[in-house]
mmCIF file of all heavy atoms in Angstrom:
data_model
loop_
_atom_site.group_PDB
_atom_site.id
_atom_site.type_symbol
_atom_site.label_atom_id
_atom_site.label_comp_id
_atom_site.label_asym_id
_atom_site.label_seq_id
_atom_site.Cartn_x
_atom_site.Cartn_y
_atom_site.Cartn_z
ATOM 1 N N HIS T 319 11.725 9.177 45.562
ATOM 2 C CA HIS T 319 12.820 8.220 45.428
ATOM 3 C C HIS T 319 13.983 8.589 46.346
ATOM 4 O O HIS T 319 14.636 7.721 46.932
ATOM 5 C CB HIS T 319 13.301 8.176 43.970
ATOM 6 C CG HIS T 319 14.296 7.096 43.701
ATOM 7 N ND1 HIS T 319 13.925 5.822 43.336
ATOM 8 C CD2 HIS T 319 15.652 7.092 43.749
ATOM 9 C CE1 HIS T 319 15.016 5.075 43.172
ATOM 10 N NE2 HIS T 319 16.079 5.827 43.416
ATOM 11 N N MET T 320 14.224 9.879 46.483
ATOM 12 C CA MET T 320 15.312 10.350 47.341
ATOM 13 C C MET T 320 15.054 9.972 48.805
ATOM 14 O O MET T 320 15.964 9.529 49.525
ATOM 15 C CB MET T 320 15.443 11.867 47.205
ATOM 16 C CG MET T 320 16.455 12.506 48.146
ATOM 17 S SD MET T 320 16.400 14.311 48.002
ATOM 18 C CE MET T 320 17.396 14.782 49.426
ATOM 19 N N ILE T 321 13.821 10.126 49.249
ATOM 20 C CA ILE T 321 13.488 9.858 50.646
ATOM 21 C C ILE T 321 13.310 8.362 50.901
ATOM 22 O O ILE T 321 13.842 7.810 51.869
ATOM 23 C CB ILE T 321 12.212 10.623 51.045
ATOM 24 C CG1 ILE T 321 12.448 12.134 50.927
ATOM 25 C CG2 ILE T 321 11.779 10.249 52.460
ATOM 26 C CD1 ILE T 321 11.193 12.960 51.044
ATOM 27 N N PHE T 322 12.567 7.687 50.010
ATOM 28 C CA PHE T 322 12.261 6.265 50.199
ATOM 29 C C PHE T 322 13.102 5.422 49.241
ATOM 30 O O PHE T 322 12.623 4.987 48.194
ATOM 31 C CB PHE T 322 10.765 6.009 49.990
ATOM 32 C CG PHE T 322 9.896 6.762 50.954
ATOM 33 C CD1 PHE T 322 9.161 7.857 50.525
ATOM 34 C CD2 PHE T 322 9.827 6.392 52.290
ATOM 35 C CE1 PHE T 322 8.362 8.564 51.421
ATOM 36 C CE2 PHE T 322 9.031 7.105 53.184
ATOM 37 C CZ PHE T 322 8.300 8.188 52.753
ATOM 38 N N LEU T 323 14.361 5.233 49.616
ATOM 39 C CA LEU T 323 15.259 4.436 48.795
ATOM 40 C C LEU T 323 14.723 3.017 48.626
ATOM 41 O O LEU T 323 14.054 2.485 49.527
ATOM 42 C CB LEU T 323 16.640 4.354 49.446
ATOM 43 C CG LEU T 323 17.607 5.522 49.241
ATOM 44 C CD1 LEU T 323 18.907 5.202 49.959
ATOM 45 C CD2 LEU T 323 17.873 5.781 47.781
ATOM 46 N N PRO T 324 15.019 2.349 47.503
ATOM 47 C CA PRO T 324 14.628 0.949 47.340
ATOM 48 C C PRO T 324 15.217 0.078 48.449
ATOM 49 O O PRO T 324 16.276 0.390 49.017
ATOM 50 C CB PRO T 324 15.214 0.575 45.977
ATOM 51 C CG PRO T 324 15.332 1.878 45.245
ATOM 52 C CD PRO T 324 15.652 2.893 46.296
ATOM 53 N N ALA T 325 14.532 -1.012 48.744
ATOM 54 C CA ALA T 325 14.930 -1.871 49.855
ATOM 55 C C ALA T 325 16.368 -2.360 49.721
ATOM 56 O O ALA T 325 17.110 -2.429 50.705
ATOM 57 C CB ALA T 325 13.975 -3.060 49.952
ATOM 58 N N ARG T 326 16.788 -2.691 48.496
ATOM 59 C CA ARG T 326 18.144 -3.230 48.298
ATOM 60 C C ARG T 326 19.202 -2.212 48.734
ATOM 61 O O ARG T 326 20.210 -2.566 49.344
ATOM 62 C CB ARG T 326 18.353 -3.620 46.838
ATOM 63 C CG ARG T 326 19.698 -4.290 46.595
ATOM 64 C CD ARG T 326 19.859 -4.714 45.134
ATOM 65 N NE ARG T 326 21.103 -5.446 44.975
ATOM 66 C CZ ARG T 326 22.285 -4.883 44.841
ATOM 67 N NH1 ARG T 326 22.380 -3.563 44.855
ATOM 68 N NH2 ARG T 326 23.379 -5.609 44.702
ATOM 69 N N GLU T 327 18.989 -0.942 48.390
ATOM 70 C CA GLU T 327 19.948 0.091 48.766
ATOM 71 C C GLU T 327 19.957 0.319 50.276
ATOM 72 O O GLU T 327 21.006 0.575 50.875
ATOM 73 C CB GLU T 327 19.642 1.392 48.020
ATOM 74 C CG GLU T 327 19.861 1.284 46.510
ATOM 75 C CD GLU T 327 19.646 2.604 45.800
ATOM 76 O OE1 GLU T 327 20.102 3.634 46.316
ATOM 77 O OE2 GLU T 327 19.001 2.592 44.725
ATOM 78 N N LEU T 328 18.782 0.223 50.899
ATOM 79 C CA LEU T 328 18.725 0.374 52.354
ATOM 80 C C LEU T 328 19.482 -0.752 53.056
ATOM 81 O O LEU T 328 20.140 -0.536 54.072
ATOM 82 C CB LEU T 328 17.272 0.388 52.820
ATOM 83 C CG LEU T 328 16.497 1.691 52.585
ATOM 84 C CD1 LEU T 328 15.029 1.492 52.929
ATOM 85 C CD2 LEU T 328 17.076 2.837 53.403
ATOM 86 N N LYS T 329 19.399 -1.961 52.498
ATOM 87 C CA LYS T 329 20.101 -3.098 53.105
ATOM 88 C C LYS T 329 21.607 -2.896 53.069
ATOM 89 O O LYS T 329 22.331 -3.317 53.970
ATOM 90 C CB LYS T 329 19.718 -4.388 52.385
ATOM 91 C CG LYS T 329 18.290 -4.844 52.659
ATOM 92 C CD LYS T 329 17.936 -6.078 51.842
ATOM 93 C CE LYS T 329 16.485 -6.492 52.072
ATOM 94 N NZ LYS T 329 16.115 -7.671 51.241
ATOM 95 N N LEU T 330 22.105 -2.264 51.991
ATOM 96 C CA LEU T 330 23.537 -2.005 51.889
ATOM 97 C C LEU T 330 23.983 -0.933 52.884
ATOM 98 O O LEU T 330 25.089 -0.987 53.414
ATOM 99 C CB LEU T 330 23.898 -1.577 50.458
ATOM 100 C CG LEU T 330 23.811 -2.659 49.384
ATOM 101 C CD1 LEU T 330 24.139 -2.074 48.019
ATOM 102 C CD2 LEU T 330 24.766 -3.811 49.692
ATOM 103 N N ARG T 331 23.101 0.032 53.135
ATOM 104 C CA ARG T 331 23.446 1.119 54.060
ATOM 105 C C ARG T 331 23.305 0.693 55.518
ATOM 106 O O ARG T 331 24.071 1.135 56.374
ATOM 107 C CB ARG T 331 22.552 2.341 53.794
ATOM 108 C CG ARG T 331 22.866 3.032 52.470
ATOM 109 C CD ARG T 331 21.812 4.074 52.154
ATOM 110 N NE ARG T 331 22.015 4.645 50.832
ATOM 111 C CZ ARG T 331 22.474 5.861 50.599
ATOM 112 N NH1 ARG T 331 22.819 6.638 51.603
ATOM 113 N NH2 ARG T 331 22.615 6.301 49.366
ATOM 114 N N TYR T 332 22.284 -0.122 55.792
ATOM 115 C CA TYR T 332 21.998 -0.521 57.167
ATOM 116 C C TYR T 332 21.943 -2.050 57.242
ATOM 117 O O TYR T 332 20.969 -2.665 56.797
ATOM 118 C CB TYR T 332 20.669 0.070 57.643
ATOM 119 C CG TYR T 332 20.543 1.567 57.417
ATOM 120 C CD1 TYR T 332 19.646 2.087 56.487
ATOM 121 C CD2 TYR T 332 21.342 2.464 58.130
ATOM 122 C CE1 TYR T 332 19.536 3.457 56.271
ATOM 123 C CE2 TYR T 332 21.247 3.837 57.928
ATOM 124 C CZ TYR T 332 20.338 4.324 56.990
ATOM 125 O OH TYR T 332 20.243 5.679 56.782
ATOM 126 N N GLY T 333 23.003 -2.635 57.793
ATOM 127 C CA GLY T 333 23.094 -4.096 57.850
ATOM 128 C C GLY T 333 21.949 -4.741 58.601
ATOM 129 O O GLY T 333 21.545 -5.871 58.292
ATOM 130 N N TRP T 334 21.387 -4.048 59.569
ATOM 131 C CA TRP T 334 20.300 -4.637 60.354
ATOM 132 C C TRP T 334 19.034 -4.844 59.533
ATOM 133 O O TRP T 334 18.184 -5.665 59.895
ATOM 134 C CB TRP T 334 20.021 -3.810 61.608
ATOM 135 C CG TRP T 334 20.012 -2.316 61.439
ATOM 136 C CD1 TRP T 334 21.078 -1.472 61.502
ATOM 137 C CD2 TRP T 334 18.872 -1.489 61.172
ATOM 138 N NE1 TRP T 334 20.682 -0.160 61.304
ATOM 139 C CE2 TRP T 334 19.335 -0.141 61.095
ATOM 140 C CE3 TRP T 334 17.517 -1.731 60.998
ATOM 141 C CZ2 TRP T 334 18.483 0.935 60.839
ATOM 142 C CZ3 TRP T 334 16.662 -0.664 60.753
ATOM 143 C CH2 TRP T 334 17.145 0.646 60.681
ATOM 144 N N VAL T 335 18.891 -4.116 58.417
ATOM 145 C CA VAL T 335 17.726 -4.340 57.546
ATOM 146 C C VAL T 335 17.882 -5.666 56.811
ATOM 147 O O VAL T 335 16.904 -6.389 56.588
ATOM 148 C CB VAL T 335 17.553 -3.183 56.543
ATOM 149 C CG1 VAL T 335 16.386 -3.442 55.608
ATOM 150 C CG2 VAL T 335 17.341 -1.875 57.284
ATOM 151 N N GLU T 336 19.120 -5.995 56.443
ATOM 152 C CA GLU T 336 19.402 -7.275 55.787
ATOM 153 C C GLU T 336 19.014 -8.432 56.704
ATOM 154 O O GLU T 336 18.421 -9.417 56.265
ATOM 155 C CB GLU T 336 20.896 -7.350 55.430
ATOM 156 C CG GLU T 336 21.320 -8.639 54.762
ATOM 157 C CD GLU T 336 20.896 -8.727 53.305
ATOM 158 O OE1 GLU T 336 21.021 -7.722 52.587
ATOM 159 O OE2 GLU T 336 20.429 -9.806 52.896
ATOM 160 N N ARG T 337 19.338 -8.280 57.997
ATOM 161 C CA ARG T 337 19.055 -9.359 58.960
ATOM 162 C C ARG T 337 17.593 -9.365 59.407
ATOM 163 O O ARG T 337 17.043 -10.421 59.732
ATOM 164 C CB ARG T 337 19.965 -9.206 60.186
ATOM 165 C CG ARG T 337 21.449 -9.345 59.872
ATOM 166 C CD ARG T 337 22.296 -9.362 61.141
ATOM 167 N NE ARG T 337 22.208 -8.109 61.887
ATOM 168 C CZ ARG T 337 22.997 -7.057 61.666
ATOM 169 N NH1 ARG T 337 23.927 -7.112 60.709
ATOM 170 N NH2 ARG T 337 22.881 -5.955 62.378
ATOM 171 N N ARG T 338 16.965 -8.164 59.412
ATOM 172 C CA ARG T 338 15.572 -8.061 59.876
ATOM 173 C C ARG T 338 14.770 -7.216 58.883
ATOM 174 O O ARG T 338 14.528 -6.021 59.119
ATOM 175 C CB ARG T 338 15.520 -7.430 61.268
ATOM 176 C CG ARG T 338 16.289 -8.221 62.334
ATOM 177 C CD ARG T 338 16.257 -7.515 63.679
ATOM 178 N NE ARG T 338 16.989 -8.250 64.699
ATOM 179 C CZ ARG T 338 18.292 -8.174 64.903
ATOM 180 N NH1 ARG T 338 19.037 -7.348 64.148
ATOM 181 N NH2 ARG T 338 18.878 -8.883 65.844
ATOM 182 N N PRO T 339 14.345 -7.809 57.768
ATOM 183 C CA PRO T 339 13.658 -7.051 56.707
ATOM 184 C C PRO T 339 12.408 -6.316 57.180
ATOM 185 O O PRO T 339 12.023 -5.310 56.578
ATOM 186 C CB PRO T 339 13.300 -8.141 55.679
ATOM 187 C CG PRO T 339 14.266 -9.246 55.958
ATOM 188 C CD PRO T 339 14.524 -9.220 57.421
ATOM 189 N N TYR T 340 11.807 -6.795 58.249
ATOM 190 C CA TYR T 340 10.584 -6.152 58.733
ATOM 191 C C TYR T 340 10.852 -4.756 59.330
ATOM 192 O O TYR T 340 9.920 -4.009 59.620
ATOM 193 C CB TYR T 340 9.882 -7.041 59.771
ATOM 194 C CG TYR T 340 10.747 -7.437 60.949
ATOM 195 C CD1 TYR T 340 10.894 -6.602 62.053
ATOM 196 C CD2 TYR T 340 11.409 -8.657 60.948
ATOM 197 C CE1 TYR T 340 11.689 -6.965 63.126
ATOM 198 C CE2 TYR T 340 12.205 -9.038 62.019
ATOM 199 C CZ TYR T 340 12.349 -8.195 63.105
ATOM 200 O OH TYR T 340 13.142 -8.559 64.154
ATOM 201 N N LEU T 341 12.133 -4.397 59.490
ATOM 202 C CA LEU T 341 12.477 -3.081 60.029
ATOM 203 C C LEU T 341 12.730 -2.045 58.939
ATOM 204 O O LEU T 341 13.292 -0.980 59.207
ATOM 205 C CB LEU T 341 13.718 -3.194 60.934
ATOM 206 C CG LEU T 341 13.537 -3.952 62.249
ATOM 207 C CD1 LEU T 341 14.857 -4.036 63.002
ATOM 208 C CD2 LEU T 341 12.468 -3.276 63.107
ATOM 209 N N ILE T 342 12.309 -2.342 57.709
ATOM 210 C CA ILE T 342 12.585 -1.416 56.607
ATOM 211 C C ILE T 342 11.934 -0.051 56.842
ATOM 212 O O ILE T 342 12.499 0.994 56.492
ATOM 213 C CB ILE T 342 12.131 -2.029 55.261
ATOM 214 C CG1 ILE T 342 12.703 -1.195 54.111
ATOM 215 C CG2 ILE T 342 10.619 -2.135 55.163
ATOM 216 C CD1 ILE T 342 12.581 -1.865 52.771
ATOM 217 N N GLY T 343 10.771 -0.026 57.467
ATOM 218 C CA GLY T 343 10.119 1.250 57.782
ATOM 219 C C GLY T 343 10.965 2.080 58.725
ATOM 220 O O GLY T 343 11.097 3.306 58.580
ATOM 221 N N ALA T 344 11.583 1.411 59.697
ATOM 222 C CA ALA T 344 12.454 2.109 60.638
ATOM 223 C C ALA T 344 13.678 2.675 59.921
ATOM 224 O O ALA T 344 14.162 3.765 60.243
ATOM 225 C CB ALA T 344 12.891 1.155 61.752
ATOM 226 N N ALA T 345 14.175 1.936 58.908
ATOM 227 C CA ALA T 345 15.336 2.414 58.153
ATOM 228 C C ALA T 345 15.008 3.696 57.398
ATOM 229 O O ALA T 345 15.837 4.611 57.318
ATOM 230 C CB ALA T 345 15.796 1.331 57.173
ATOM 231 N N TRP T 346 13.802 3.772 56.840
ATOM 232 C CA TRP T 346 13.400 5.006 56.146
ATOM 233 C C TRP T 346 13.350 6.181 57.138
ATOM 234 O O TRP T 346 13.739 7.295 56.802
ATOM 235 C CB TRP T 346 12.040 4.811 55.487
ATOM 236 C CG TRP T 346 12.102 4.119 54.159
ATOM 237 C CD1 TRP T 346 13.070 4.253 53.213
ATOM 238 C CD2 TRP T 346 11.154 3.182 53.648
ATOM 239 N NE1 TRP T 346 12.791 3.449 52.130
ATOM 240 C CE2 TRP T 346 11.608 2.781 52.373
ATOM 241 C CE3 TRP T 346 9.959 2.634 54.132
ATOM 242 C CZ2 TRP T 346 10.928 1.873 51.573
ATOM 243 C CZ3 TRP T 346 9.273 1.729 53.329
ATOM 244 C CH2 TRP T 346 9.755 1.348 52.063
ATOM 245 N N LEU T 347 12.857 5.924 58.356
ATOM 246 C CA LEU T 347 12.803 6.981 59.366
ATOM 247 C C LEU T 347 14.209 7.427 59.767
ATOM 248 O O LEU T 347 14.468 8.620 59.945
ATOM 249 C CB LEU T 347 12.029 6.494 60.593
ATOM 250 C CG LEU T 347 10.513 6.299 60.404
ATOM 251 C CD1 LEU T 347 9.904 5.696 61.663
ATOM 252 C CD2 LEU T 347 9.842 7.632 60.065
ATOM 253 N N VAL T 348 15.125 6.469 59.914
ATOM 254 C CA VAL T 348 16.519 6.800 60.250
ATOM 255 C C VAL T 348 17.123 7.655 59.151
ATOM 256 O O VAL T 348 17.800 8.658 59.410
ATOM 257 C CB VAL T 348 17.348 5.516 60.460
ATOM 258 C CG1 VAL T 348 18.840 5.849 60.541
ATOM 259 C CG2 VAL T 348 16.905 4.800 61.733
ATOM 260 N N ARG T 349 16.870 7.256 57.895
ATOM 261 C CA ARG T 349 17.408 8.009 56.759
ATOM 262 C C ARG T 349 16.840 9.432 56.742
ATOM 263 O O ARG T 349 17.567 10.396 56.503
ATOM 264 C CB ARG T 349 17.079 7.287 55.448
ATOM 265 C CG ARG T 349 17.523 8.044 54.207
ATOM 266 C CD ARG T 349 17.329 7.189 52.967
ATOM 267 N NE ARG T 349 17.415 8.000 51.761
ATOM 268 C CZ ARG T 349 18.551 8.433 51.240
ATOM 269 N NH1 ARG T 349 19.703 8.142 51.814
ATOM 270 N NH2 ARG T 349 18.550 9.160 50.131
ATOM 271 N N LEU T 350 15.546 9.569 56.996
ATOM 272 C CA LEU T 350 14.919 10.892 57.016
ATOM 273 C C LEU T 350 15.490 11.744 58.150
ATOM 274 O O LEU T 350 15.779 12.935 57.964
ATOM 275 C CB LEU T 350 13.405 10.740 57.176
ATOM 276 C CG LEU T 350 12.578 12.028 57.105
ATOM 277 C CD1 LEU T 350 12.775 12.727 55.763
ATOM 278 C CD2 LEU T 350 11.097 11.719 57.323
ATOM 279 N N PHE T 351 15.694 11.134 59.313
ATOM 280 C CA PHE T 351 16.282 11.855 60.455
ATOM 281 C C PHE T 351 17.675 12.371 60.098
ATOM 282 O O PHE T 351 18.006 13.533 60.359
ATOM 283 C CB PHE T 351 16.344 10.932 61.668
ATOM 284 C CG PHE T 351 17.016 11.555 62.869
ATOM 285 C CD1 PHE T 351 16.288 12.323 63.771
ATOM 286 C CD2 PHE T 351 18.382 11.389 63.079
ATOM 287 C CE1 PHE T 351 16.907 12.915 64.872
ATOM 288 C CE2 PHE T 351 19.007 11.975 64.171
ATOM 289 C CZ PHE T 351 18.269 12.741 65.069
#
Side-chain angles (χ1 to χ4, degrees):
H319 188 88
M320 174 186 169
I321 298 169
F322 299 107
L323 278 181
R326 185 178 185 278
E327 294 184 43
L328 283 173
K329 289 176 183 178
L330 290 178
R331 290 170 186 253
Y332 309 111
W334 43 273
V335 178
E336 179 75 42
R337 297 187 297 272
R338 300 177 180 84
Y340 56 84
L341 292 177
I342 192 167
W346 278 324
L347 290 175
V348 169
R349 176 173 165 77
L350 185 59
F351 176 87

